[in-house]
Amino acid sequence: MNYVTHGLGGVAAGLAMISAVNATDHIQQTTIMTGAVLGSLFPDIDHRKSWISHKIPIASNIISGLFKHRGVIHTPVFVLAISVVLSMLNWGWLHEFNSQAIYFIWGFIPGMFSHLILDTLNVQGIMWFWPLSAKRFHILKIRTNSAMEAVVCLVLGACLYGQYSAWF
Ligand SMILES: [Zn+2]
């Protein structure tokens, strides 16, 4: 999927998390949403031509040099590893440095997960069961930037607009 679709997936994940953790404070809500949108774009750091790679080319050059696109970075195990690392960082010192950090993490991890779900709608799929299996799974055969992706993007956008209208 392209970065617009993934970004919308991140907004959906952010809204779900704001509701799940009952964040009523505007700063907490904004921090969760920022984390969720960044998390939803992050896995494509393994693709040199992705939106996020253009923003942080040095990190992308290193990561895409080490890992192939839709490889390890696009697996639930990697999301789990990132959540453990971020949680440990927060527990260790980040929470003293910035009390909002946990809200960023609460957005970032579900945002990353939304990326995996949306990429599962693509024909290439992702390795859901890595490292047990390197087989990629997909549930639809949508091609990135195709008309079908535009439909998914519009439906997602319409659902979010409906949700947004219900909230405010
Ligand atoms: Zn991806």
Side-chain angles (χ1 to χ4, degrees):
M1 296 291 181
N2 65 35
Y3 78 95
V4 178
T5 310
H6 280 306
L8 288 176
V11 172
L15 284 175
M17 277 313 283
I18 287 168
S19 159
V21 302
N22 208 8
T24 48
D25 182 79
H26 274 299
I27 297 172
Q28 291 170 356
Q29 292 177 344
T30 308
T31 311
I32 289 174
M33 196 51 90
T34 305
V37 172
L38 288 176
S40 74
L41 299 170
F42 182 75
D44 281 343
I45 192 105
D46 66 7
H47 189 298
R48 267 174 220 262
K49 291 202 161 72
S50 70
W51 182 88
I52 190 97
S53 293
H54 285 297
K55 299 295 166 196
I56 34 177
I58 297 170
S60 168
N61 280 343
I62 295 167
I63 294 172
S64 63
L66 291 170
F67 304 98
K68 63 179 182 188
H69 181 45
R70 285 181 185 253
V72 175
I73 309 290
H74 279 67
T75 62
V77 168
F78 182 76
V79 177
L80 189 68
I82 289 285
S83 64
V84 169
V85 169
L86 289 179
S87 301
M88 283 173 73
L89 274 177
N90 186 56
W91 178 72
W93 61 272
L94 210 54
H95 71 283
E96 289 173 20
F97 175 68
N98 190 332
S99 62
Q100 296 296 316
I102 190 66
Y103 294 100
F104 183 86
I105 297 168
W106 283 347
F108 196 82
I109 300 303
M112 278 187 82
F113 206 73
S114 76
H115 188 108
L116 302 191
I117 292 169
L118 283 171
D119 274 359
T120 306
L121 304 182
N122 282 139
V123 64
Q124 301 97 322
I126 62 151
M127 300 190 293
W128 275 98
F129 299 106
W130 185 87
L132 297 175
S133 164
K135 185 174 169 15
R136 290 181 183 178
F137 290 87
H138 62 87
I139 51 174
L140 291 177
K141 293 186 175 178
I142 297 170
R143 297 199 178 274
T144 302
N145 294 324
S146 65
M148 265 316 286
E149 170 161 4
V151 171
V152 170
C153 194
L154 279 172
V155 169
L156 199 51
C159 290
L160 288 173
Y161 182 75
Q163 183 75 12
Y164 181 84
S165 313
W167 269 36
F168 298 98

